[in-house]
Amino acid sequence: MAEKTFDLIVIGAGPGGYVAAIRGAQLGMKVAIVEREHLGGICLNWGCIPTKALLRSSEVFHLMHRAKEFGLKADNIGYDLDAVVKRSRKVAAQLSGGIGHLMKKNKITVFMGAAKLAGKGKVSVKGDKGTDDLNAKNIVVATGARARELPGLEADGKRVWTYKHALQPPHMPKKLLVIGSGAIGIEFASFYNTLGADTTVVEVMDRVLPVEDAEISTFAKKAFEKQGMKIMQKAMVKQLDRSADKVTAHIEVGGKVEKQEFDTVISAVGIVGNVEGLGLEDMGVKIDRTHVVTDEYCRTGVDGVYAIGDIAGAPWLAHKASHEGVMVAELMAGKHPHPVKPESIAGCTYCHPQVASVGYSEAKAKELGYEIKVGRFPFIGNGKAIALGEESGMIKTIFDAKTGELLGAHMIGAEVTELIQGYVVGRQLETTEEDLMNTVFPHPTLSEMMHEAVLDAYGRVIHM
C-alpha cells in the first residue's frame, strides 16, 4: 500500500483539479489525481476551449462577408460544418494531451476511474482494471458540474441538444430555439446564427444575459436583434413536442402559450453539481441544491476535505476554479493565501459582440448603499475601433463617489474579454480613479476607451 499513499488526492482533473494538483506538487507534496473521463475536464474538452474554436470560425466567416468594407474580395463564401467541428475537437484534444504532459512533468500520479470517499483520508477508485485504494491527509473534490435538464425539455441528441451535442452537431440547424440566454446559450446562439440558422432565444428573466449590468443587456439585445436573432424575454418553454424532423415548442409569454416549430433546440438552462456517488454525505459534507457548502477557503467543515470550482457554487467559471485550486494547495502547505472574492472575478461571454464585466453592476452598487459615479465611453469614439471596423460597443465604469474605489466595470464590443483584465488588476491593487486617470494608455488601442470611461465618470472625458 505504500505506493498508494499520498499527501494530496484530487478528484477531478478539470481546470480546478489539475491546477490544485500542480500547485501541490510544486509545494513538495506527493499528489494523485483521479479523473473518470478526460484530463482537462469539461472546460478543455467540452466547454471553454472548443466553444471558442467554433466561435472563431464563425467570426472569420462573418468577416469574410464584410470583405468589401475593407477593400477586399471574397466570392462564393461558404463553410464546411464538419471541418469547423473537426478543428474544434482537434484544439480540445491538443490541450487535453497537454494536461497529461503537465501531470508527468510534475510527477503527479494519474488514476483513471470513478472516485468515492471511503472514510477519513481514504479514496476508492474504480477503474477498468479494478479498484485502487488511496490514502491522503488532504482530499480536494473538483468534480465540476453538468447541464441542468428540466422535466419535459430533456435532450435526446437528435433534435434537442445540450452543449455537448451542440459542439458535435448531427446536422446544421435551419430554425433554432435556444432556451436560456446566459453565457452558454448566447454563445451557441451567436455561433449558429452567424452560420445562417434562423435563431430564437427564450429567456425567463426580463433581459438577456441577466447576470450582466442592465445597460449592457439592453445594448446586447439590440445587437443580437440587428443580426437577425429573435429575443423573447420573460418567456418560458413549457413543453416540447418531438417528431422525426421537428420540435414544437409551447412558449408561455405574457400569460399566453404560443406554439412555434423548430428543427433544433438547445437547452442551456443552467448547471447542476456532480455530487452523486462520491460518498460526500456519508462523510458529513453538506450539500445544498447540488453544490457542496464551503467556507471562503473552500473547506467543507470535514477535516482534510476541500471542494473547489463549479461543485462549490457560483461563479461557475474556470478561472475561479483554478485560483481556488492554488489557494487550497497553499493552505495545506501552511501558507496564508487570500480567499477568492467572487466580486473580483471577471465574467466573459464570447458572443458577437463580446461581453465582459467585473465587480458590481450599477443596480447592485446602489442596492449596497454606495453613492456612485458612472462613466461611459462608446466604441465609435475610439480610433482603433473605427480602424478595425468595430464601432459598435461601449465601456462603463462605476466608482464609489466617496473613496474613488472602482466598484465595477462592464463592457460590450470587440475584444472586451481581453480588455477586462485591466480593470481586474486595478481592483486587485485597490486602484482609485486618480490612479487610473494618471495611467498613460497606449495609442491607438481599444484600451484607451477604458481610460476615457474613467474620465467620463468624473466629468473629464476628452474624446466625447
Side-chain angles (χ1 to χ4, degrees):
M1 292 294 292
E3 72 278 12
K4 302 291 178 68
T5 299
F6 301 88
D7 300 310
L8 167 63
I9 299 169
V10 181
I11 303 174
Y18 84 75
V19 170
I22 290 172
R23 186 64 184 130
Q26 288 175 343
L27 292 166
M29 299 180 203
K30 184 181 179 184
V31 182
I33 192 164
V34 185
E35 172 55 47
R36 68 181 181 182
E37 194 171 6
H38 303 289
L39 293 177
I42 292 297
C43 179
L44 263 65
N45 293 280
W46 296 103
C48 324
I49 300 303
T51 54
K52 303 314 161 283
L54 290 182
L55 286 159
R56 177 59 172 166
S57 291
S58 68
E59 180 185 18
V60 173
F61 184 64
H62 170 72
L63 286 171
M64 289 169 71
H65 279 90
R66 296 179 58 195
K68 191 174 180 181
E69 293 177 39
F70 297 92
L72 306 173
K73 292 182 179 180
D75 299 320
N76 301 316
I77 300 166
Y79 63 86
D80 179 341
L81 184 60
D82 288 341
V84 169
V85 171
K86 186 177 180 180
R87 175 180 179 271
S88 170
R89 301 314 309 155
K90 184 179 178 181
V91 169
Q94 178 181 340
L95 286 165
S96 181
I99 302 303
H101 168 73
L102 289 172
M103 296 300 98
K104 290 178 182 177
K105 176 186 173 184
N106 288 281
K107 298 179 173 58
I108 296 163
T109 305
V110 177
F111 292 89
M112 297 303 295
K116 183 175 183 178
L117 299 180
K120 183 175 173 59
K122 297 181 182 296
V123 175
S124 175
V125 182
K126 188 175 182 180
D128 292 340
K129 298 178 181 178
T131 301
D132 288 297
D133 295 316
L134 315 181
N135 301 279
K137 180 182 178 181
N138 294 299
I139 298 168
V140 173
V141 181
T143 50
R146 63 186 183 276
R148 181 187 300 277
E149 295 203 79
L150 299 179
L153 309 183
E154 296 92 349
D156 54 36
K158 297 174 183 175
R159 294 291 166 187
V160 182
W161 301 347
T162 64
Y163 63 88
K164 275 196 174 183
H165 305 120
L167 280 166
Q168 290 187 299
H171 60 265
M172 173 62 198
K174 292 178 181 176
K175 192 172 183 188
L176 171 66
L177 170 64
V178 177
I179 308 173
S181 74
I184 294 172
I186 282 296
E187 286 184 2
F188 280 119
S190 189
F191 172 72
Y192 283 110
N193 187 71
T194 301
L195 294 189
D198 179 359
T199 304
T200 298
V201 178
V202 170
E203 171 55 54
V204 70
M205 303 295 283
D206 61 355
R207 54 195 174 88
V208 293
L209 295 169
V211 302
E212 299 296 340
D213 183 89
E215 199 169 348
I216 299 298
S217 291
T218 299
F219 195 111
K221 179 175 181 281
K222 290 178 181 177
F224 298 150
E225 289 178 333
K226 189 176 180 181
Q227 295 165 22
M229 285 191 211
K230 299 173 187 67
I231 306 293
M232 300 179 69
Q233 299 171 153
K234 291 195 283 189
M236 182 182 293
V237 178
K238 306 291 288 185
Q239 181 181 329
L240 295 175
D241 299 333
R242 310 165 198 229
S243 64
D245 60 352
K246 68 179 181 181
V247 177
T248 302
H250 299 241
I251 305 171
E252 184 181 290
V253 58
K256 298 179 180 179
V257 176
E258 59 182 65
K259 295 181 182 180
Q260 292 191 38
E261 289 186 356
F262 302 90
D263 64 42
T264 311
V265 177
I266 297 176
S267 178
V269 291
I271 62 173
V272 293
N274 293 322
V275 295
E276 303 89 349
L278 293 168
L280 293 170
E281 289 167 303
D282 293 340
M283 291 285 292
V285 174
K286 293 181 181 178
I287 296 172
D288 179 26
R289 288 170 290 181
T290 79
H291 291 88
V292 175
V293 178
T294 68
D295 67 7
E296 60 182 351
Y297 288 100
C298 295
R299 295 176 292 209
T300 64
V302 175
D303 188 40
V305 180
Y306 301 78
I308 65 173
D310 286 358
I311 197 176
W316 297 285
L317 300 167
H319 43 289
K320 172 251 196 185
S322 295
H323 206 79
E324 287 178 338
V326 170
M327 178 185 71
V328 296
E330 292 185 349
L331 204 60
M332 293 168 197
K335 297 185 179 295
H336 303 282
H338 293 290
V340 177
K341 296 179 180 179
E343 67 273 13
S344 292
I345 297 171
C348 297
T349 305
Y350 299 81
C351 47
H352 181 75
Q354 293 180 8
V355 176
S357 60
V358 66
Y360 302 130
S361 66
E362 183 176 352
K364 184 66 176 178
K366 289 177 179 176
E367 180 189 320
L368 292 171
Y370 287 101
E371 181 185 339
I372 61 173
K373 285 184 178 291
V374 180
R376 301 171 182 82
F377 196 82
F379 272 51
I380 192 65
N382 177 262
K384 179 68 177 295
I386 295 170
L388 291 174
E390 298 287 356
E391 300 95 337
S392 179
M394 68 172 288
I395 291 179
K396 178 177 180 178
T397 54
I398 302 161
F399 291 90
D400 183 340
K402 294 178 180 177
T403 66
E405 177 189 356
L406 176 63
L407 298 175
H410 308 272
M411 308 177 173
I412 183 166
E415 302 304 329
V416 296
T417 56
E418 299 291 339
L419 295 179
I420 194 65
Q421 184 62 9
Y423 287 134
V424 174
V425 172
R427 279 179 57 81
Q428 183 67 22
L429 297 178
E430 299 181 351
T431 298
T432 65
E433 92 289 357
E434 188 175 349
D435 296 322
L436 290 166
M437 286 181 185
N438 290 330
T439 299
V440 180
F441 287 71
H443 173 80
T445 63
L446 297 175
S447 69
E448 290 175 277
M449 291 184 286
M450 298 168 64
H451 192 213
E452 295 273 18
V454 175
L455 293 171
D456 184 56
Y458 290 84
R460 291 176 51 182
V461 66
I462 302 295
H463 291 98
M464 185 173 66

